[in-house]
Amino acid sequence: MTSDSSATSGQNRLAALESAMARFTAPDALMRTGGRVVEVSATHYRVRGLSRKACIGDVVEHEGPKGRRAGEIVRVTPDDVLVSPFETTADLAIDTPVFNSGPLAVRPDHTWRGRVVNALGHPIDGGPPVGHGEQAGGHAVSAMSRQRVEAAFKTGVRVIDIFTPLCFGQRMGVFAGSGVGKSTLLAMLAAADSFDTAVISLVGERGREVREFLEDTVGPKNMAKTVAVVSTSDESAMMRRRAPATAMSVAEYFRDRGDRVLLIVDSVTRFAHALREVATAAGEPPIARGYPASVFTELPKLLERAGPGTAGETGSITAIISVLVDGDDHNDPIADSVRGILDGHVVLDRSIAEQGRFPAVNPLASISRLSGRAWSGDEKTLVARLKAMISRFEETRDIRLLGAYAPGSDPELDLAVRQVPLIYEALGQSPGDPRTKDPFADLARHLKAREAQNGQQAA
């Protein structure tokens, strides 16, 4: 054997030895920290033996009949840790070995576009595995480091673009009770062509509606630039809690690449319900209608991560956050807390929906805190006049129904009675209708055409 071949053989043996040592010392091999299950309930389980090495947020795993199962540590005591499972606790028994795998890392990359993943980032659409990049985001950009919100854009939804215009990097809430058209409005906003990437988080949705929403409402064209993070209502509280955070991490990844990202979370109320369930199981006392204090800490931590990126960068996250208002009470603790965090709110009114007007947006109760950066001076004056007319029309509805209104006695009311129904007609829009880029011009054309038509009929 020559000296060259001997050297090559020696290098190969050395490489094999180094590989074996790496496997031996890997955290997943013999060096993992473990414990054993000492208590199991329907929503959590306790593990003894992990307390000295565990932190809140660490993921623990065990082998079950259907493969490896995982959960997240939500409480640490000197004697044991409390774990909230990602799936069911049905396959757990006392003394089951459990191992600490460290904190959960979400590592999206460009291959996630056009895919549907669960709260852990695993594909659930039957497609090939997704790629993994560097761990993204996880915290809000500091207040003095982030860009300012400046540029406005058109959503194509007339009632939004006129009364509550949006800017890139803004965070807007859609407040609605059940069955008022919230999901349809979100889908119309998701179809806006002003964004490079869309991220949609469906939290606690009915399983039947997920495919319908993504395939029919969002559609194949928009789905190609969309990442959907889905956690249905039958999944564990921990998965429902994780889904919006995973979606936010995906949005941060694409924002940091320079994309203008649209993030839609439907709904943050179900996220709060999941937070409440986990916190209650961990022993936190309720402080407001059954919600523990940690719920109101987690909401701003999540929502503040949306917005513009670091100064000097081009990326931004424009967030549309839906709030399912319990019992149509717009002052319930979650709605009140979220309204104070976001940059505006669109209110969907059940009475408007019952009149057959969609989107059922109440322009008097809705506001965009950044509208001044989207309206010109003339548009601002016009919107104020439109709101005044609508307010006058609505506050006299009962009087007019009783027959106490006499035309000619109040010129402002006469104008409102004549114009407001035409305004409502112009604002009506369905997902299949053509998008508009100049909503004020469209509104003016509609009013002129309808007034001319009414004049001809009167003649």
Side-chain angles (χ1 to χ4, degrees):
M1 182 180 293
T2 64
S3 59
D4 290 343
S5 61
S6 299
T8 302
S9 177
Q11 290 173 355
N12 292 338
R13 287 196 298 270
L14 180 59
L17 180 60
E18 290 175 346
S19 177
M21 289 296 294
R23 290 196 300 271
F24 181 78
T25 58
D28 291 335
L30 302 180
M31 303 301 292
R32 290 194 301 174
T33 303
R36 291 188 178 274
V37 175
V38 295
E39 179 187 316
V40 181
S41 73
T43 59
H44 65 275
Y45 57 95
R46 293 183 184 275
V47 180
R48 184 167 295 161
L50 288 177
S51 298
R52 304 301 176 187
K53 298 287 186 178
C55 298
I56 291 178
D58 283 356
V59 174
V60 298
E61 297 178 328
H62 70 276
E63 292 293 337
K66 296 183 179 180
R68 184 173 293 183
R69 298 296 182 93
E72 183 174 321
I73 296 175
V74 296
R75 185 179 181 185
V76 181
T77 71
D79 298 323
D80 54 37
V81 299
L82 187 72
V83 180
S84 182
F86 292 136
E87 296 180 77
T88 179
T89 60
D91 62 346
L92 272 170
I94 300 298
D95 282 340
T96 299
V98 175
F99 297 95
N100 191 344
S101 300
L104 179 66
V106 177
R107 298 183 289 117
D109 77 350
H110 66 280
T111 62
W112 289 37
R113 283 168 57 105
R115 302 299 303 275
V116 183
V117 301
N118 66 11
L120 304 179
H122 302 153
I124 58 175
D125 54 6
V130 295
H132 295 284
E134 297 292 330
Q135 185 171 353
H139 59 274
V141 179
S142 65
M144 299 306 295
S145 299
R146 67 172 58 195
Q147 304 175 56
R148 295 190 58 172
V149 176
E150 299 289 353
F153 68 93
K154 300 297 183 186
T155 66
V157 182
R158 285 187 290 272
V159 67
I160 299 294
D161 291 338
I162 291 176
F163 291 100
T164 56
L166 302 180
C167 298
F168 289 108
Q170 185 170 353
R171 299 164 302 176
M172 177 67 80
V174 176
F175 291 70
S178 57
V180 188
K182 168 176 55 65
S183 295
T184 302
L185 176 60
L186 292 177
M188 294 171 70
L189 295 172
D193 57 6
S194 303
F195 297 94
D196 305 304
T197 302
V199 181
I200 299 175
S201 177
L202 301 178
V203 186
E205 283 290 334
R206 292 177 285 271
R208 173 187 61 81
E209 294 185 343
V210 171
R211 284 190 63 183
E212 294 177 2
F213 181 84
L214 296 178
E215 295 177 1
D216 300 337
T217 311
V218 177
K221 178 182 177 182
N222 292 314
M223 194 61 203
K225 66 173 185 179
T226 299
V227 181
V229 182
V230 175
S231 178
T232 53
S233 59
D234 60 331
E235 293 190 48
S236 70
M238 186 54 70
M239 292 291 278
R240 287 180 275 123
R241 177 191 174 193
R242 274 282 180 185
T246 298
M248 188 68 75
S249 294
V250 175
E252 287 169 333
Y253 165 78
F254 285 103
R255 179 196 62 191
D256 293 344
R257 292 180 62 201
D259 287 5
R260 283 177 166 171
V261 181
L262 174 65
L263 171 67
I264 293 178
V265 177
D266 184 19
S267 70
V268 77
T269 305
R270 297 193 184 104
F271 168 66
H273 291 171
L275 289 172
R276 177 176 61 185
E277 187 174 334
V278 173
T280 302
E284 288 191 45
I287 61 167
R289 296 197 192 177
Y291 291 100
S294 63
V295 173
F296 303 100
T297 302
E298 292 296 328
L299 285 171
K301 280 185 180 179
L302 174 73
L303 299 177
E304 281 290 340
R305 289 166 62 183
T310 306
E313 298 180 353
T314 59
S316 65
I317 300 174
T318 304
I320 307 294
I321 309 296
S322 83
V323 182
L324 181 62
V325 181
D326 290 335
D328 286 349
D329 179 9
H330 287 263
N331 291 316
D332 79 82
I334 298 304
D336 199 44
S337 177
V338 172
R339 188 164 47 240
I341 298 169
L342 300 179
D343 304 316
H345 49 273
V346 173
V347 176
L348 302 188
D349 196 314
R350 190 174 299 279
S351 64
I352 295 176
E354 289 170 349
Q355 296 172 24
R357 287 164 40 204
F358 292 97
V361 175
N362 184 341
L364 301 179
S366 304
I367 188 172
S368 170
R369 293 190 174 97
L370 298 174
S371 58
R373 303 179 189 184
W375 289 327
S376 66
D378 291 341
E379 289 172 347
K380 184 177 181 179
T381 302
L382 175 59
V383 170
R385 184 164 177 76
L386 290 174
K387 284 189 173 184
M389 278 201 303
I390 293 172
S391 176
R392 185 78 165 151
F393 181 82
E394 294 297 340
E395 70 185 9
T396 59
R397 183 182 290 273
D398 292 341
I399 296 175
R400 289 182 283 108
L401 289 174
L402 292 173
Y405 161 66
S409 59
D410 187 338
E412 290 187 3
L413 182 56
D414 292 343
L415 179 63
V417 169
R418 188 170 64 252
Q419 293 280 349
V420 171
L422 303 182
I423 294 171
Y424 286 163
E425 187 179 277
L427 296 179
Q429 197 171 354
S430 64
D433 291 347
R435 295 304 178 106
T436 177
K437 295 186 177 181
D438 193 344
F440 289 97
D442 286 355
L443 176 62
R445 282 193 294 268
H446 181 85
L447 293 178
K448 289 180 181 178
R450 293 291 286 140
E451 284 187 340
Q453 182 180 351
N454 292 340
Q456 292 175 357
Q457 291 176 352

